[in-house]
Every structure is written in C-alpha cells, then in structure tokens.
C-alpha cells in the first residue's frame, strides 16, 4: 500500500499542478480562436422584453439600443420560407394552435397584441409590428451584424436553406449555428462547417466534467460560443414551476458549479466567447440579453 501511494501521490500532484498551470496558460497547447465578431451584449429573440419577440421591430430596436448580436430561432413554412420564430407551434405567440410547417408564409397569423415574456411572469411586450420576420429580411437589413441561429428540429431542408442564405449574403464568419441538441448541431455542421458554432447541452455538460476533472486544458474545443441560462433566471416555459430546478438550494448549487471565473477566463484565453441569459432593467423597460 505504501509503495502504491509512493508512486500515485507524486503523479497525482504533478497532474494537478500541470492542469492548473495550463488552465491559466492554454496558449501553450491550443491556438487561440479568432472569430470575426466579439459580443458582450446579445439580444435574445431580438430583445423580446421590450418589443414583440423576433419581429423586425424588435431587431431594429435592439440595434438602436446598441446590441452586438441578434439571437433567434428559425423554422420552415410549408412553402419553403425560413421564418424567425421561437416556437414551431404558434399557440403561445398567436393564440392559434397551428404549426409553422403546416402553413404557407402568407397564412401565418399575426402575433398577439400583448405577448407575455416567458421568463418574466406578468410582464408583456407590445409593438406595432406583429408580423413574422423572414431570416432573409434580417440578413438584408443588418448585413454586418452577427447573428446566432438556433435550430430546434432535425430538419435538413431547414438547415440547408439557412446555410444557403448565409452563403448568399456572405455571412459565414458572423452567423453562428446553435442548438441544445448535439445531433442537430452535428447535422448543421455537416451542411456548413464554415460557420462558427456554439456548445450543445451535451457538450456543455462535458465541458464542466472536463473542467472539474482537470482534463479541460488538454482537450481541443471546436466551439466558438458558450450560451446558457443564468441559473437563477430560468425560462418558465423551459423548466415548469414544479420541477426540482425551481428549488432554491438546487439553483444555488448549480450556480456555484457553473459560474466559475477560472473556467470563463480559460475559455476567453482560448478565444471562446461566453454569454449567460440575464434580464436587465433599464429606465423602466425590460431588456433580455445573453
């Protein structure tokens, strides 16, 4: 037993010291990523707390407020148009129990006049624009503004059309693939691997495991952006009220595990940007950002 400890303890100590050293100096093993954008303010659904989410009015307002990236979700209509919409089913947004994929573009219903902000109970957004936006219109209006596009469904036709639009408007360096689903994200990258991409949920969990095991400094990372919920501010529609993740103690523990300054500094040193979903209150108006 003593001989075992004689060899194991020095090896473990050497591994720990090397890991900690490389955590602070990742450039010794990894080439720093250089993306075509740098964002500290990203408007979630176009700043949906101030205008009706994902509309051109919301995007324009977010840009006016100084946002550096627009975050959005896209779906495909029956007649093949890529529209910006958080949900595939439009009941929450329009009051009509229909899906984007079942309707032609011209038949999409308008947004509700007052749309509740999903992560802020009792708060409603309003606006003059209640029309679903086309992704192409966003690209035309903001040709140089970075955009993060989340794909929620494993629809290769949708991914291909998004990729085609990105290429048509020469936006491959400033348009990010995003999805919580690792399988979907892999398909997106297969269709267009020239676009930067963010961490999926599975890869995010792996990232934490690598960090706490000390292996992170030794592992290459292909992602350019890490986006996640700030633990104490969780979308009510994503995690229902009765779920365990609403427990204050659980939220406290998650926050302690995920909000690690040393982790964020390591990622930043490798050129990987980090964004957390938060809520900002400015001059009486609600702003959503990541």
């Amino acid at each position: 037993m003593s001989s075992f400890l004689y060899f194991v303890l020095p090896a473990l100590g050497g591994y720990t010291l090397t890991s900690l050293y490389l955590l602070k100096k990742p450039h010794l093993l990894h080439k720093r990523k250089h993306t075509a954008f740098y964002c500290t303010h990203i408007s979630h659904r176009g700043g949906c707390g101030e205008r009706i989410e994902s509309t051109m009015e919301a995007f324009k307002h977010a840009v006016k407020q100084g946002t550096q990236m627009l975050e959005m979700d896209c779906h495909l209509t029956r007649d093949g148009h890529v529209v910006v919409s958080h949900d595939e089913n439009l009941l929450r947004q329009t009051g009509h129990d229909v899906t984007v994929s079942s309707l032609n573009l011209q038949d999409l219903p308008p947004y509700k006049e007052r749309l509740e902000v999903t992560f802020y109970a009792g708060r409603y957004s309003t606006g003059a624009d209640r029309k679903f936006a086309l992704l192409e219109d966003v690209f035309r209006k903001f040709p140089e503004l970075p955009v993060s596009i989340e794909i929620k469904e494993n629809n290769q036709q949708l991914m291909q059309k998004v990729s085609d639009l990105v290429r048509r408007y020469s936006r491959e360096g400033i348009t990010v693939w995003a999805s919580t689903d690792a399988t979907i994200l892999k398909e997106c990258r297969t269709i267009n691997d020239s676009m930067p991409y963010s961490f999926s949920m599975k890869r995010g969990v792996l990232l934490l495991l690598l960090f706490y095991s000390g292996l992170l400094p030794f592992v290459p990372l292909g992602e350019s952006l890490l986006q996640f919920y700030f633990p104490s501010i969780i979308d009510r529609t994503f995690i229902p009220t009765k779920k365990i993740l609403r427990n204050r103690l659980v939220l406290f523990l998650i926050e302690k595990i995920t909000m690690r300054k040393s982790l964020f500094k390591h990622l930043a040193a490798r050129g990987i940007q980090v964004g957390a979903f938060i809520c900002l209150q400015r001059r009486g108006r609600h702003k959503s950002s990541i």
Side-chain angles (χ1 to χ4, degrees):
M1 182 65 179
S2 59
S3 61
F4 175 76
L5 293 177
Y6 180 81
F7 289 103
V8 170
L9 289 180
L12 184 59
Y15 166 74
T16 301
L17 291 174
T18 303
S19 177
L20 290 173
Y21 181 76
L22 292 175
L23 189 70
K24 295 181 179 181
K25 298 183 180 295
H27 62 276
L28 295 176
L29 288 183
H30 307 285
K31 184 178 179 181
R32 180 183 172 87
K33 294 179 182 294
H34 293 283
T35 54
F37 60 89
Y38 178 73
C39 304
T40 58
H41 183 288
I42 309 174
S43 292
H44 179 226
R45 307 184 205 174
C48 59
E50 297 189 354
R51 297 292 186 272
I52 294 177
E53 65 182 53
S54 303
T55 59
M56 289 301 296
E57 182 181 18
F59 299 143
K60 292 174 184 177
H61 178 74
V63 171
K64 186 177 180 180
Q65 297 303 309
T67 194
Q68 297 162 316
M69 174 181 274
L70 297 175
E71 187 274 345
M72 61 193 68
D73 313 81
C74 289
H75 297 278
L76 199 64
T77 63
R78 184 169 60 184
D79 52 348
H81 292 277
V82 181
V83 296
V84 182
S85 173
H86 183 269
D87 302 348
E88 160 68 358
N89 184 286
L90 301 180
L91 182 61
R92 175 186 67 87
Q93 296 156 280
T94 70
H96 297 270
D97 190 9
V98 293
T99 60
V100 174
S101 59
S102 69
L103 299 174
N104 292 331
L105 177 63
Q106 65 180 14
D107 298 323
L108 291 175
Y111 277 97
K112 295 177 180 177
E113 291 184 9
R114 298 176 71 246
L115 185 63
E116 186 176 20
V117 180
T118 55
F119 45 81
Y120 195 157
R123 184 79 179 193
Y124 292 83
S125 58
T126 59
D129 186 3
R130 296 167 55 199
K131 182 180 178 182
F132 284 89
L134 287 169
L135 179 62
E136 184 168 11
D137 288 342
V138 176
F139 287 173
R140 284 174 176 168
K141 182 64 179 178
F142 311 107
E144 298 179 358
L145 189 68
V147 171
S148 174
I149 300 175
E150 181 171 354
I151 305 295
K152 286 183 161 64
E153 53 186 303
N154 199 345
N155 183 331
Q156 290 193 357
Q157 185 182 8
L158 169 62
M159 300 173 200
Q160 186 62 59
K161 283 184 175 288
V162 169
S163 175
D164 291 343
L165 286 171
V166 169
R167 286 194 168 107
R168 185 184 307 168
Y169 288 91
S170 302
R171 295 182 50 91
E172 288 180 290
I174 58 172
T175 308
V176 180
W177 284 124
S179 182
T180 58
D181 190 311
T183 301
I184 293 176
L185 199 54
K186 183 179 179 180
E187 290 293 332
C188 291
R189 293 177 54 212
T190 299
I191 289 174
N192 191 332
D193 63 357
S194 297
M195 293 167 56
Y197 61 99
S198 62
F199 283 84
S200 65
M201 185 176 293
K202 181 179 178 180
R203 287 280 295 175
V205 172
L206 177 61
L207 179 70
L208 288 174
L209 292 175
L210 292 172
F211 172 70
Y212 282 104
S213 67
L215 290 170
L216 181 58
F218 306 99
V219 177
L221 299 172
E223 292 85 353
S224 298
L225 187 65
L226 173 64
Q227 304 177 73
F228 58 94
Y229 283 87
F230 193 89
S232 59
I233 305 174
I234 297 179
D235 190 326
R236 295 182 299 107
T237 62
F238 183 62
I239 301 177
T241 304
K242 294 183 179 180
K243 292 288 186 179
I244 190 173
L245 291 181
R246 277 294 182 181
N247 184 284
R248 289 186 178 181
L249 177 60
V250 174
L251 284 177
F252 173 79
L253 292 174
I254 293 176
E255 194 162 309
K256 285 297 182 182
I257 292 171
T258 58
M259 296 292 164
R260 309 305 301 178
K261 185 181 292 186
S262 57
L263 171 60
F264 298 156
K265 284 185 175 181
H266 175 80
L267 293 176
R270 292 173 67 165
I272 300 173
Q273 299 178 47
V274 180
F277 288 89
I278 61 174
C279 295
L280 302 177
Q281 195 76 21
R282 183 179 298 171
R283 296 177 185 175
R285 296 180 300 180
H286 180 271
K287 180 180 290 291
S288 61
S289 313
I290 44 178

